[in-house]
Amino acid sequence: MEAPKPEEISHPPMDQLQGLEYCIDSNPSWGEAIALGFQHYILALGTAVMIPTFLVPLMGGTDNDKVRVVQTLLFVEGINTLLQTLFGTRLPTVIGGSWVFMVPIISIIHDSSLVAIDDPHLRFLSTMRAIQGALIVASSVQIILGYSQLWGIFSRFFSPLGMVPVISLVGFGLFDRGFPVVGRCVEIGIPMLILFVAFSQYLKHFQTKQLPILERFALLISVTVIWAYAHLLTASGAYKHRPELTQTHCRTDRANLISSAPWIKIPYPLQWGAPTFDAGHAFGMMAAVFVSMIESTGAFKAASRLASATPPPAHVLSRGIGWQVCKLRKVLEFFLMGFLGQLPDLQFLCKENVGLLGTTRVGSRRVIQISAGFMIFFSILGKFGALFASIPFTIFAAVYCVFFGLVASVGLSFLQFTNMNSLRNLFITGVSMFLGLSIPEYFREYTAGALHGPAHTEAGWFNDFLNTVFLSSPTVALIVAVFLDNTLDYKDSARDRGMPWWAKFRAFKGDSRNEEFYTLPFNLQRFFPPS
C-alpha cells in the first residue's frame, strides 16, 4: 500500500465548524424546531430545579417556596434567553442559573443577622431580599465592563492559545456535576448515559421521512424512556428499604413539586418584598459576577463554533455582557428571585445547552427562541411545568457527561490555529489547564474539610471574593493563561499563538460574515454602531 502524502494526512484549520445541518441563521421546519426547542427546555430544567432544591431549605423555605422560586427562575430564564438571542450576542444560547454564585449566596444565608430570625418563613423572605440587593449592586461591574467596552478591550489580550484552557475548562471544570452525580443512582444514571450515546452517535443515521430522528431527538427519547423506567422502579417499591439519600436521588416522587405547584402563577414585582442592601454582601457578590463573565465568555466562543458562526468580535462580546444588565430591562428588576445569576442584571450561559447544539447538529437561533417560549409558558402553568421538573437530576447528570465533554473539546479545537510544536505553547497550555483544575480542587477539598474556604479572615467580603474566584476553573485558567501568553516571549510568538487568524475577528467589520451573524434585528444596528 502506497504511503499517504503529507497533504493527505494534514487537516487545514477551518474558521467554522463543519458538519452542522443548520447554522445560526438557518432554520429547520417549524415542527422540528418546536420539538428541538422543547428539548432545550427539558435540558435547562436540570439546573433550574437543582439550585432552588439546594438553597431554599437553607433559607428556611418550604416546598411551596421552592416551587415559587423554580417558576420564577424559569420565567426569567425564558425572558433573558429571548432577549439575549435578539439583542445580545445573538448566539443560540440558553441563559440560566449558575453555581458560581454559591459561595457569596451561602455566606449571606449564614449571616448572623439572618440566622437569628426564628420564624423560618420570615428568614426565607429576608434572605431573598438580601441576596437580591447584593446582586443588584454587584451588577454595576457588568454595567461598567459591558457598556464601556472595557471587556471588549480586555479581550484583545486573548489569543487562540490563551482561550484554549478557558473554553476547555468551561466543560472539564464541571466534572463533579457528571459521573459523581450519576453514581448516586447508577440504576438510572448509567442506562441514561448508554442510551443517549447509542441514539445520538451509533444510531444517528436512522431516519424517518429523511429526518435523523434518533440523532436529532436523542435527549427527548432517552429522557422519556429512562424517566418511565425510574417511575416504574419507584412504583414497584424498589427503593422502599433503601437509604434516604438513595431515595432522594432515585425516586420520581421526592421533588414535591407537582403537589405544591399552583395551576397558574405569574411572577410579579416585589413578590418577596423590597430588596435590602449590605456593602459586605455586595462585594462578595461582585466576585461571582466577575467569574460569571469569564465563564460566559468561554461559553459564548464555544457556542459560536457549534453554531457554525465566526468568533464573536470584541464589540459583540461586550454587547452580550452589557445586555445582561441592560437598563431597558430594569423594569423587570423585581420579577426575579435574586440568586445564582438569575436577576435581570445577572445571567449565565447554560453550558449543557451549548453541548446539545453539537449532538443535534442544529445551531439555529430560532430553536433557542422557541425554547425560551416554553420556559415562560410552563413557568406560568405551574402544574405542567412541575411535572417535567420532577425528572430525577441523575438523568440530567448522565447527559452532562456528554455535553460538558463536548464543550471542552470545542476549546481544544482552537489548538488547530496555534503551533503546538512550540515548547512555549506546550508550557502555557499544560500549566494553565493543570492549575485550572488543581487550584479549584484544593479549594473544594479545603472547604469540605474545614467548612470554610482557605481565605478565612475577619473580612467576610474578602473571603467570599477570593474563594469564589479560585473555585472557578475557567477563571483560574484565564488568569494563568492570559498572563503567561502576554508576558512570555510574546513579541516573537504572534504566529505561534494564532494571532494572525484571530486578528480579523476582533473587529466587527474585520470579516464580512460578522454582519450576517451578529447584526441587530429591526435595523437597530444604526443606533448601536460597532466601535
Side-chain angles (χ1 to χ4, degrees), residues 142-143 145-147 317-327 329:
Q142 279 184 280
I143 292 175
L145 293 178
Y147 285 110
L317 202 58
S318 281
R319 189 175 74 196
I321 295 296
W323 182 254
Q324 294 178 351
V325 289
C326 180
K327 294 176 182 178
R329 292 164 56 208

Side-chain angles (χ1 to χ4, degrees), residues 321-336:
I321 295 296
W323 182 254
Q324 294 178 351
V325 289
C326 180
K327 294 176 182 178
L328 295 176
R329 292 164 56 208
K330 291 295 181 180
V331 295
L332 302 173
E333 193 77 58
F334 303 112
F335 267 77
L336 314 174

Side-chain angles (χ1 to χ4, degrees), residues 443 446 452-457 462-464 466-467:
F443 271 70
Y446 191 103
H452 60 75
H456 188 58
T457 67
F462 178 77
N463 301 336
D464 292 344
L466 287 185
N467 293 330

Side-chain angles (χ1 to χ4, degrees), residues 102-121:
M102 189 63 68
V103 172
I105 293 295
I106 292 179
S107 178
I108 293 174
I109 291 174
H110 291 154
D111 187 283
S112 58
S113 62
L114 296 172
V115 173
I117 301 175
D118 294 328
D119 183 357
H121 184 65

Side-chain angles (χ1 to χ4, degrees), residues 39 188 191-200 214 217-229 395 399:
Q39 190 167 235
I188 64 174
M192 178 64 196
L193 177 59
I194 294 174
L195 199 63
F196 179 76
V197 172
F199 285 163
S200 65
L214 291 182
F217 305 109
L219 179 66
L220 271 182
I221 298 172
S222 301
V223 167
T224 302
V225 171
I226 301 301
W227 188 18
Y229 167 61
I395 292 178
V399 293

Side-chain angles (χ1 to χ4, degrees), residues 54-60 100-117 122-139 274-289 337-341 343 346 451 459-465 467-468:
F54 178 80
L55 285 178
V56 170
L58 297 179
M59 300 178 189
V100 303
F101 291 85
M102 189 63 68
V103 172
I105 293 295
I106 292 179
S107 178
I108 293 174
I109 291 174
H110 291 154
D111 187 283
S112 58
S113 62
L114 296 172
V115 173
I117 301 175
L122 182 58
R123 184 168 76 252
F124 168 75
L125 294 177
S126 300
T127 304
M128 291 294 286
R129 295 168 188 167
I131 295 171
Q132 280 184 307
L135 284 170
I136 292 170
V137 174
S139 68
T276 58
F277 300 93
D278 181 275
H281 296 166
F283 276 114
M285 199 66 71
M286 286 181 184
V289 174
M337 74 303 201
F339 66 86
L340 298 178
L343 284 176
L346 303 166
L451 300 181
W461 65 269
F462 178 77
N463 301 336
D464 292 344
F465 194 95
N467 293 330
T468 300

